[in-house]
Amino acid sequence: MKIFNSLKRQKEEFVPITPNEVKMYVCGPTVYNFFHIGNARTFIVFDTIRRYFEYRGYNVKFVQNFTDIDDKMIKRANEEGTTVKDIAEKYINEYYKDADDLNIKRATVNPRATEFIDEIIKFIKDLVDKGFAYVVDGDVYFETKKFKEYGKLSHQNLEDLEAGARIDVDERKKDPMDFALWKAQKPGEPAWESPWGLGRPGWHIECSTMASTLLGETIDIHGGGVDLTFPHHENEIAQSEARNGKPFARYWMHCAFLNVNNQKMSKSLNNFFTAREILEKYDSEVVRLFMLSGHYRNPINFSIDLLDQAKAALDRLYNTIGNLEHIIETAEERELNDEEKAFLNKLYGYKDRYIEVMDDDFNTADGISVIFDMVRDINSNINEKSSKEVAKDSLSLIRELGGPLGILQRDVRGNLENEIQRLIEERQAARKAKNYALADKIRDDLKAMGIILEDTPSGVRWKKI
Ligand code: AMP
Ligand code: ZN
């Protein structure tokens, strides 16, 4: 498998540290609000990458953190007149609700920064002891000049960064690019005891600490949205490699933005939809199909129109799934004939092609095209006269290729039957209420779906035309 490694700016063959295992860490949300669908893109992309590794036989250890202490959390707690802990509790629950609805698999571990304070303090202490960090008035800063490779991820050098930095008002820092590992407590802020007095951890150190504690000092993959490349990930590398003297992550992966009118969707620009708002109107599989229709390294523009197009595309795929389910229920059980054998071989060719494109840096856009090509072929080759087996194999292949994308896993027939039953009951209720116009309309709607009703002494029966 090939991965585009942001560190080297090139695609590289993926070689795991431990055979058949992937240790990956993805930066998770700051839990002070509902997440928006820009965040959702990053979560869905890494969920898909994780699922695809699993599909290819890897055992994936997937860690995604919750940032549950920072300025935004404190501000939010003050606004709501509650504690940072309560805000975290509330929005972590909301995160799980929306992430589950988006069919995002639960991580192996979702560590919270505040559960790792002892480890964070130890990490910072090691950096101070090794001369990479210094203490000023209860704050601890990382001294970027001491880490010779600073800038290697974002491909910048320290001199340029210093020149570009705004005149730093904080004169206590030795260099404008130095960053806080530990922040001394300000009045009213939550704080923990440390060798430098009461305070709280900086943002970057939490990820370095949790990644190394849970996955090891060198991990396979570190990921996040592209906005995290600098300074967050650059700083994570500096801290981790300064302390451990070995590479932090072998592959760095960054997901491009979900934009609105070519601008990043973000809370601060107020151009966002929460995932929850979108999920009220669209099925999670529609959202996933839309998100994965572009390659993860290309920005995508969000619009309701594009979501509607994704919905129509997904309906077409489910139409085929429904037909196959019907054929499986009704077709005869017999040996495959030669034509069918040849057809199945052709279908396995689509699977090979799918693996080929997905192995190439998780090209979900091409993977989805392969599924559509395969489904088109199934539509023109399978019908009521086909054998049960060929329909079964076709359906399981569709589901198999949809699996890593988190789509195409639902049953249509079961759902259709529920829907018909619901409409029949609605019609009965309309008749009881003498609303014959509505009752007739429901009968017509069902007819348009290919369903006819028969009123019998033992109740209403339906059958497919
Ligand atoms: P935050 O809660 O803002 O730290 O963001 C959580 C994750 O979502 C991070 O990996 C961000 O890089 C990512 N993210 C934020 N906005 C967007 C966006 N518009 N498109 C894609 N990813 C985003
Ligand atoms: Zn992080």
Side-chain angles (χ1 to χ4, degrees):
M1 287 173 70
K2 285 201 160 55
I3 292 183
F4 184 89
N5 188 352
S6 315
L7 187 64
K8 310 276 178 60
R9 288 202 172 148
Q10 64 185 20
K11 278 188 202 165
E12 295 178 338
E13 191 61 34
F14 176 68
V15 184
I17 298 165
T18 311
N20 301 319
E21 193 180 272
V22 183
K23 293 184 257 285
M24 80 191 266
Y25 184 97
V26 176
C27 294
T30 305
V31 282
Y32 70 107
N33 216 330
F34 293 95
F35 67 85
H36 59 65
I37 55 163
N39 305 128
R41 179 180 191 198
T42 295
F43 303 149
I44 288 172
V45 158
F46 285 102
D47 175 60
T48 301
I49 289 170
R50 177 233 189 130
R51 284 168 183 261
Y52 187 69
F53 272 123
E54 287 171 348
Y55 174 65
R56 298 290 274 130
Y58 289 92
N59 173 22
V60 184
K61 290 189 178 148
F62 186 92
V63 177
Q64 184 184 285
N65 67 302
F66 289 124
T67 297
D68 63 347
I69 175 72
D70 86 334
D71 292 342
K72 286 178 287 203
M73 299 281 304
I74 295 169
K75 185 163 171 271
R76 185 73 191 220
N78 290 338
E79 280 165 9
E80 293 199 10
T82 177
T83 61
V84 169
K85 204 169 176 347
D86 281 348
I87 291 289
E89 208 54 53
K90 174 173 172 195
Y91 288 106
I92 285 172
N93 284 331
E94 304 292 9
Y95 167 86
Y96 281 129
K97 190 167 180 309
D98 293 340
D100 288 350
D101 282 354
L102 282 168
N103 200 11
I104 291 171
K105 276 180 82 166
R106 295 260 176 136
T108 319
V109 192
N110 282 129
R112 308 177 188 190
T114 59
E115 293 168 344
F116 284 78
I117 299 292
D118 289 348
E119 290 83 355
I120 290 172
I121 289 173
K122 167 95 182 50
F123 201 121
I124 299 173
K125 208 169 155 306
D126 288 348
L127 286 172
V128 175
D129 291 347
K130 289 189 172 182
F132 285 103
Y134 55 94
V135 185
V136 192
D137 305 335
D139 286 348
V140 186
Y141 293 100
F142 185 88
E143 192 168 350
T144 39
K145 271 215 168 63
K146 292 273 175 75
F147 183 68
K148 295 291 168 251
E149 293 177 290
Y150 193 79
K152 69 176 174 179
L153 178 68
S154 52
H155 303 269
Q156 313 175 77
N157 66 47
L158 193 54
E159 288 73 49
D160 292 347
L161 284 167
E162 283 162 345
R166 282 173 295 146
I167 307 295
D168 204 286
V169 286
D170 191 349
E171 301 218 319
R172 300 170 316 151
K173 290 204 290 187
K174 293 187 186 173
D175 186 283
M177 296 317 291
D178 293 352
F179 56 91
L181 299 168
W182 187 262
K183 299 176 176 183
Q185 183 185 30
K186 295 200 191 96
E189 285 185 359
W192 289 263
E193 291 283 358
S194 82
W196 318 286
L198 282 169
R200 62 183 167 96
W203 172 36
H204 318 301
I205 196 71
E206 88 178 64
C207 287
S208 287
T209 305
M210 294 191 285
S212 62
T213 308
L214 294 165
L215 295 171
E217 291 178 354
T218 301
I219 64 175
D220 290 300
I221 297 174
H222 196 311
V226 69
D227 52 335
L228 301 187
T229 312
F230 187 86
H232 185 53
H233 290 162
E234 195 71 64
N235 292 352
E236 278 192 49
I237 291 180
Q239 299 159 159
S240 303
E241 299 191 355
R243 178 196 188 223
N244 302 325
K246 49 178 89 148
F248 176 34
R250 309 229 297 206
Y251 305 88
W252 285 85
M253 297 184 73
H254 291 101
C255 172
F257 288 146
L258 179 110
N259 289 333
V260 182
N261 298 325
N262 300 312
Q263 258 189 325
K264 177 192 175 191
M265 177 176 284
S266 72
K267 282 176 191 139
S268 54
L269 289 172
N270 205 23
N271 60 352
F272 66 92
F273 286 100
T274 61
R276 190 161 300 184
E277 281 170 303
I278 293 298
L279 285 166
E280 274 166 18
K281 301 201 181 76
Y282 293 88
D283 187 283
S284 61
E285 291 202 0
V286 171
V287 179
R288 290 186 73 111
L289 182 66
F290 161 70
M291 298 277 189
L292 299 171
S293 295
H295 189 276
Y296 78 88
R297 283 189 290 115
N298 295 333
I300 48 176
N301 245 324
F302 173 79
S303 76
I304 294 291
D305 233 26
L306 288 171
L307 266 186
D308 286 334
Q309 281 175 31
K311 181 177 182 319
L314 190 72
D315 283 349
R316 286 204 301 280
L317 297 177
Y318 268 109
N319 212 352
T320 301
I321 291 179
N323 288 339
L324 290 172
E325 284 173 349
H326 174 69
I327 295 167
I328 292 166
E329 268 171 33
T330 54
E332 58 171 319
E333 209 144 347
R334 60 165 166 79
E335 292 276 295
L336 297 173
N337 60 33
D338 287 348
E339 223 173 289
E340 288 173 335
K341 279 186 194 150
F343 179 64
L344 277 185
N345 267 336
K346 191 171 175 216
L347 286 195
Y348 287 109
Y350 286 109
K351 172 175 163 177
D352 293 343
R353 173 92 190 111
Y354 171 89
I355 289 176
E356 195 183 311
V357 298
M358 290 288 284
D359 272 5
D360 183 8
D361 195 30
F362 308 94
N363 193 337
T364 55
D366 284 0
I368 288 168
S369 301
V370 173
I371 295 178
F372 273 97
D373 289 347
M374 182 175 84
V375 163
R376 211 167 298 126
D377 221 348
I378 290 172
N379 287 342
S380 44
N381 281 281
I382 297 193
N383 54 45
E384 309 272 336
K385 295 196 190 73
S386 303
S387 71
K388 202 189 269 297
E389 280 61 36
V390 76
K392 262 191 190 160
D393 287 359
S394 303
L395 180 56
S396 74
L397 207 50
I398 294 177
R399 297 220 195 273
E400 180 181 326
L401 305 194
L405 308 170
I407 59 173
L408 307 176
Q409 304 304 305
R410 305 220 173 103
D411 292 335
V412 176
R413 299 283 294 170
N415 287 344
L416 185 68
E417 279 167 27
N418 290 343
E419 176 65 6
I420 293 168
Q421 215 47 50
R422 192 186 61 77
L423 286 170
I424 290 175
E425 279 159 27
E426 213 176 296
R427 175 171 169 266
Q428 293 299 83
R431 286 187 358 161
K432 225 172 168 176
K434 300 205 168 13
N435 185 349
Y436 297 111
L438 179 61
D440 287 348
K441 184 182 174 303
I442 293 172
R443 177 185 278 266
D444 292 345
D445 287 350
L446 282 164
K447 199 164 172 196
M449 290 163 65
I451 304 297
I452 50 169
L453 302 182
E454 282 174 346
D455 293 306
T456 74
S458 56
V460 183
R461 294 231 187 96
W462 62 271
K463 64 177 182 198
K464 227 174 158 71
I465 316 170

PDB file of all heavy atoms in Angstrom, residues 27-30 36 38-39 41-43 224-225 227-228 256-258 264-265, ligand 1:
ATOM      1  N   CYS A  27      -5.664  13.509  15.635  1.00  0.00           N
ATOM      2  CA  CYS A  27      -6.066  14.589  16.548  1.00  0.00           C
ATOM      3  C   CYS A  27      -7.584  14.737  16.532  1.00  0.00           C
ATOM      4  O   CYS A  27      -8.190  14.892  15.474  1.00  0.00           O
ATOM      5  CB  CYS A  27      -5.419  15.897  16.145  1.00  0.00           C
ATOM      6  SG  CYS A  27      -3.643  15.831  16.335  1.00  0.00           S
ATOM      7  N   GLY A  28      -8.153  14.687  17.693  1.00  0.00           N
ATOM      8  CA  GLY A  28      -9.613  14.743  17.797  1.00  0.00           C
ATOM      9  C   GLY A  28     -10.106  16.142  18.138  1.00  0.00           C
ATOM     10  O   GLY A  28      -9.350  17.105  18.107  1.00  0.00           O
ATOM     11  N   PRO A  29     -11.381  16.239  18.460  1.00  0.00           N
ATOM     12  CA  PRO A  29     -11.987  17.553  18.665  1.00  0.00           C
ATOM     13  C   PRO A  29     -11.709  18.159  20.047  1.00  0.00           C
ATOM     14  O   PRO A  29     -11.449  17.437  21.002  1.00  0.00           O
ATOM     15  CB  PRO A  29     -13.483  17.245  18.551  1.00  0.00           C
ATOM     16  CG  PRO A  29     -13.612  15.832  19.021  1.00  0.00           C
ATOM     17  CD  PRO A  29     -12.349  15.135  18.592  1.00  0.00           C
ATOM     18  N   THR A  30     -11.776  19.476  20.078  1.00  0.00           N
ATOM     19  CA  THR A  30     -11.848  20.182  21.351  1.00  0.00           C
ATOM     20  C   THR A  30     -13.333  20.175  21.703  1.00  0.00           C
ATOM     21  O   THR A  30     -14.160  20.638  20.908  1.00  0.00           O
ATOM     22  CB  THR A  30     -11.345  21.627  21.186  1.00  0.00           C
ATOM     23  OG1 THR A  30     -10.035  21.557  20.621  1.00  0.00           O
ATOM     24  CG2 THR A  30     -11.292  22.355  22.519  1.00  0.00           C
ATOM     25  N   HIS A  36     -18.829  20.376  13.471  1.00  0.00           N
ATOM     26  CA  HIS A  36     -19.461  20.732  12.194  1.00  0.00           C
ATOM     27  C   HIS A  36     -19.030  19.742  11.106  1.00  0.00           C
ATOM     28  O   HIS A  36     -18.163  18.885  11.340  1.00  0.00           O
ATOM     29  CB  HIS A  36     -19.186  22.192  11.819  1.00  0.00           C
ATOM     30  CG  HIS A  36     -17.735  22.573  11.669  1.00  0.00           C
ATOM     31  ND1 HIS A  36     -16.922  22.042  10.686  1.00  0.00           N
ATOM     32  CD2 HIS A  36     -16.952  23.438  12.366  1.00  0.00           C
ATOM     33  CE1 HIS A  36     -15.716  22.575  10.776  1.00  0.00           C
ATOM     34  NE2 HIS A  36     -15.699  23.426  11.806  1.00  0.00           N
ATOM     35  N   GLY A  38     -17.263  20.145   8.551  1.00  0.00           N
ATOM     36  CA  GLY A  38     -15.843  20.245   8.183  1.00  0.00           C
ATOM     37  C   GLY A  38     -15.042  19.280   9.044  1.00  0.00           C
ATOM     38  O   GLY A  38     -14.279  18.451   8.548  1.00  0.00           O
ATOM     39  N   ASN A  39     -15.254  19.343  10.348  1.00  0.00           N
ATOM     40  CA  ASN A  39     -14.620  18.378  11.260  1.00  0.00           C
ATOM     41  C   ASN A  39     -15.007  16.963  10.842  1.00  0.00           C
ATOM     42  O   ASN A  39     -14.170  16.058  10.838  1.00  0.00           O
ATOM     43  CB  ASN A  39     -15.090  18.569  12.712  1.00  0.00           C
ATOM     44  CG  ASN A  39     -14.895  19.973  13.243  1.00  0.00           C
ATOM     45  OD1 ASN A  39     -15.827  20.572  13.764  1.00  0.00           O
ATOM     46  ND2 ASN A  39     -13.702  20.510  13.112  1.00  0.00           N
ATOM     47  N   ARG A  41     -15.583  15.752   8.028  1.00  0.00           N
ATOM     48  CA  ARG A  41     -14.819  15.221   6.900  1.00  0.00           C
ATOM     49  C   ARG A  41     -13.553  14.522   7.413  1.00  0.00           C
ATOM     50  O   ARG A  41     -13.251  13.394   7.011  1.00  0.00           O
ATOM     51  CB  ARG A  41     -14.426  16.341   5.927  1.00  0.00           C
ATOM     52  CG  ARG A  41     -13.609  15.769   4.790  1.00  0.00           C
ATOM     53  CD  ARG A  41     -13.148  16.740   3.748  1.00  0.00           C
ATOM     54  NE  ARG A  41     -12.604  15.981   2.613  1.00  0.00           N
ATOM     55  CZ  ARG A  41     -11.826  16.471   1.681  1.00  0.00           C
ATOM     56  NH1 ARG A  41     -11.514  17.747   1.685  1.00  0.00           N
ATOM     57  NH2 ARG A  41     -11.371  15.710   0.708  1.00  0.00           N
ATOM     58  N   THR A  42     -12.820  15.222   8.274  1.00  0.00           N
ATOM     59  CA  THR A  42     -11.583  14.638   8.797  1.00  0.00           C
ATOM     60  C   THR A  42     -11.869  13.346   9.562  1.00  0.00           C
ATOM     61  O   THR A  42     -11.180  12.337   9.380  1.00  0.00           O
ATOM     62  CB  THR A  42     -10.849  15.676   9.671  1.00  0.00           C
ATOM     63  OG1 THR A  42     -10.452  16.747   8.820  1.00  0.00           O
ATOM     64  CG2 THR A  42      -9.618  15.105  10.328  1.00  0.00           C
ATOM     65  N   PHE A  43     -12.913  13.339  10.370  1.00  0.00           N
ATOM     66  CA  PHE A  43     -13.223  12.124  11.139  1.00  0.00           C
ATOM     67  C   PHE A  43     -13.610  10.969  10.200  1.00  0.00           C
ATOM     68  O   PHE A  43     -13.188   9.821  10.396  1.00  0.00           O
ATOM     69  CB  PHE A  43     -14.356  12.364  12.148  1.00  0.00           C
ATOM     70  CG  PHE A  43     -14.085  13.493  13.125  1.00  0.00           C
ATOM     71  CD1 PHE A  43     -15.123  14.267  13.635  1.00  0.00           C
ATOM     72  CD2 PHE A  43     -12.781  13.792  13.520  1.00  0.00           C
ATOM     73  CE1 PHE A  43     -14.870  15.312  14.531  1.00  0.00           C
ATOM     74  CE2 PHE A  43     -12.522  14.835  14.417  1.00  0.00           C
ATOM     75  CZ  PHE A  43     -13.568  15.596  14.916  1.00  0.00           C
ATOM     76  N   GLY A 224      -4.518  14.189  10.911  1.00  0.00           N
ATOM     77  CA  GLY A 224      -5.378  15.286  11.348  1.00  0.00           C
ATOM     78  C   GLY A 224      -5.724  16.137  10.140  1.00  0.00           C
ATOM     79  O   GLY A 224      -5.297  15.835   9.012  1.00  0.00           O
ATOM     80  N   GLY A 225      -6.478  17.186  10.359  1.00  0.00           N
ATOM     81  CA  GLY A 225      -6.784  18.118   9.275  1.00  0.00           C
ATOM     82  C   GLY A 225      -5.526  18.884   8.883  1.00  0.00           C
ATOM     83  O   GLY A 225      -4.581  19.007   9.675  1.00  0.00           O
ATOM     84  N   ASP A 227      -4.911  21.904   8.573  1.00  0.00           N
ATOM     85  CA  ASP A 227      -4.611  23.101   9.380  1.00  0.00           C
ATOM     86  C   ASP A 227      -3.740  22.771  10.594  1.00  0.00           C
ATOM     87  O   ASP A 227      -3.164  23.660  11.211  1.00  0.00           O
ATOM     88  CB  ASP A 227      -5.914  23.782   9.851  1.00  0.00           C
ATOM     89  CG  ASP A 227      -6.866  22.823  10.549  1.00  0.00           C
ATOM     90  OD1 ASP A 227      -6.804  21.603  10.286  1.00  0.00           O
ATOM     91  OD2 ASP A 227      -7.684  23.286  11.356  1.00  0.00           O
ATOM     92  N   LEU A 228      -3.637  21.497  10.924  1.00  0.00           N
ATOM     93  CA  LEU A 228      -2.850  21.131  12.108  1.00  0.00           C
ATOM     94  C   LEU A 228      -1.362  20.947  11.800  1.00  0.00           C
ATOM     95  O   LEU A 228      -0.544  20.817  12.716  1.00  0.00           O
ATOM     96  CB  LEU A 228      -3.410  19.855  12.753  1.00  0.00           C
ATOM     97  CG  LEU A 228      -4.875  19.921  13.205  1.00  0.00           C
ATOM     98  CD1 LEU A 228      -5.236  18.662  13.985  1.00  0.00           C
ATOM     99  CD2 LEU A 228      -5.131  21.152  14.074  1.00  0.00           C
ATOM    100  N   ALA A 256      -7.540  17.358   3.597  1.00  0.00           N
ATOM    101  CA  ALA A 256      -7.808  18.729   3.116  1.00  0.00           C
ATOM    102  C   ALA A 256      -9.141  19.235   3.673  1.00  0.00           C
ATOM    103  O   ALA A 256      -9.945  18.461   4.200  1.00  0.00           O
ATOM    104  CB  ALA A 256      -7.828  18.734   1.590  1.00  0.00           C
ATOM    105  N   PHE A 257      -9.361  20.517   3.481  1.00  0.00           N
ATOM    106  CA  PHE A 257     -10.564  21.139   4.065  1.00  0.00           C
ATOM    107  C   PHE A 257     -11.842  20.813   3.316  1.00  0.00           C
ATOM    108  O   PHE A 257     -11.843  20.598   2.101  1.00  0.00           O
ATOM    109  CB  PHE A 257     -10.435  22.660   4.033  1.00  0.00           C
ATOM    110  CG  PHE A 257      -9.440  23.195   5.013  1.00  0.00           C
ATOM    111  CD1 PHE A 257      -8.683  24.310   4.703  1.00  0.00           C
ATOM    112  CD2 PHE A 257      -9.267  22.598   6.242  1.00  0.00           C
ATOM    113  CE1 PHE A 257      -7.769  24.816   5.602  1.00  0.00           C
ATOM    114  CE2 PHE A 257      -8.359  23.091   7.157  1.00  0.00           C
ATOM    115  CZ  PHE A 257      -7.606  24.212   6.833  1.00  0.00           C
ATOM    116  N   LEU A 258     -12.895  20.857   4.086  1.00  0.00           N
ATOM    117  CA  LEU A 258     -14.215  20.986   3.507  1.00  0.00           C
ATOM    118  C   LEU A 258     -14.485  22.490   3.506  1.00  0.00           C
ATOM    119  O   LEU A 258     -14.383  23.140   4.551  1.00  0.00           O
ATOM    120  CB  LEU A 258     -15.242  20.264   4.382  1.00  0.00           C
ATOM    121  CG  LEU A 258     -16.665  20.370   3.851  1.00  0.00           C
ATOM    122  CD1 LEU A 258     -17.109  19.011   3.354  1.00  0.00           C
ATOM    123  CD2 LEU A 258     -17.620  20.835   4.921  1.00  0.00           C
ATOM    124  N   LYS A 264     -12.519  27.794   4.091  1.00  0.00           N
ATOM    125  CA  LYS A 264     -12.607  26.718   5.083  1.00  0.00           C
ATOM    126  C   LYS A 264     -13.882  26.852   5.920  1.00  0.00           C
ATOM    127  O   LYS A 264     -14.189  27.949   6.386  1.00  0.00           O
ATOM    128  CB  LYS A 264     -11.388  26.802   6.009  1.00  0.00           C
ATOM    129  CG  LYS A 264     -11.400  25.779   7.126  1.00  0.00           C
ATOM    130  CD  LYS A 264     -10.327  26.082   8.181  1.00  0.00           C
ATOM    131  CE  LYS A 264     -10.460  25.103   9.336  1.00  0.00           C
ATOM    132  NZ  LYS A 264      -9.652  25.460  10.501  1.00  0.00           N
ATOM    133  N   MET A 265     -14.611  25.750   6.048  1.00  0.00           N
ATOM    134  CA  MET A 265     -15.743  25.784   6.980  1.00  0.00           C
ATOM    135  C   MET A 265     -15.171  25.859   8.391  1.00  0.00           C
ATOM    136  O   MET A 265     -14.326  25.041   8.766  1.00  0.00           O
ATOM    137  CB  MET A 265     -16.609  24.531   6.830  1.00  0.00           C
ATOM    138  CG  MET A 265     -17.746  24.499   7.838  1.00  0.00           C
ATOM    139  SD  MET A 265     -18.870  23.094   7.624  1.00  0.00           S
ATOM    140  CE  MET A 265     -19.823  23.571   6.216  1.00  0.00           C
TER     141      MET A 265
HETATM  142  P1  AMP B   1     -10.972  21.187  16.153  1.00  0.00           P
HETATM  143  O1  AMP B   1     -12.054  20.708  17.083  1.00  0.00           O
HETATM  144  O2  AMP B   1     -11.218  22.535  15.582  1.00  0.00           O
HETATM  145  O3  AMP B   1      -9.592  21.044  16.772  1.00  0.00           O
HETATM  146  O4  AMP B   1     -10.986  20.223  14.870  1.00  0.00           O
HETATM  147  C1  AMP B   1     -11.019  18.817  14.917  1.00  0.00           C
HETATM  148  C2  AMP B   1     -10.483  18.255  13.608  1.00  0.00           C
HETATM  149  O5  AMP B   1     -11.250  18.729  12.474  1.00  0.00           O
HETATM  150  C3  AMP B   1      -9.033  18.669  13.319  1.00  0.00           C
HETATM  151  O6  AMP B   1      -8.329  17.545  12.785  1.00  0.00           O
HETATM  152  C4  AMP B   1      -9.172  19.756  12.275  1.00  0.00           C
HETATM  153  O7  AMP B   1      -8.034  19.856  11.459  1.00  0.00           O
HETATM  154  C5  AMP B   1     -10.369  19.278  11.482  1.00  0.00           C
HETATM  155  N1  AMP B   1     -11.086  20.358  10.743  1.00  0.00           N
HETATM  156  C6  AMP B   1     -11.508  21.555  11.219  1.00  0.00           C
HETATM  157  N2  AMP B   1     -12.141  22.279  10.247  1.00  0.00           N
HETATM  158  C7  AMP B   1     -12.124  21.506   9.121  1.00  0.00           C
HETATM  159  C8  AMP B   1     -12.628  21.682   7.774  1.00  0.00           C
HETATM  160  N3  AMP B   1     -13.285  22.773   7.397  1.00  0.00           N
HETATM  161  N4  AMP B   1     -12.423  20.670   6.891  1.00  0.00           N
HETATM  162  C9  AMP B   1     -11.769  19.539   7.261  1.00  0.00           C
HETATM  163  N5  AMP B   1     -11.281  19.321   8.501  1.00  0.00           N
HETATM  164  C10 AMP B   1     -11.454  20.282   9.430  1.00  0.00           C
END
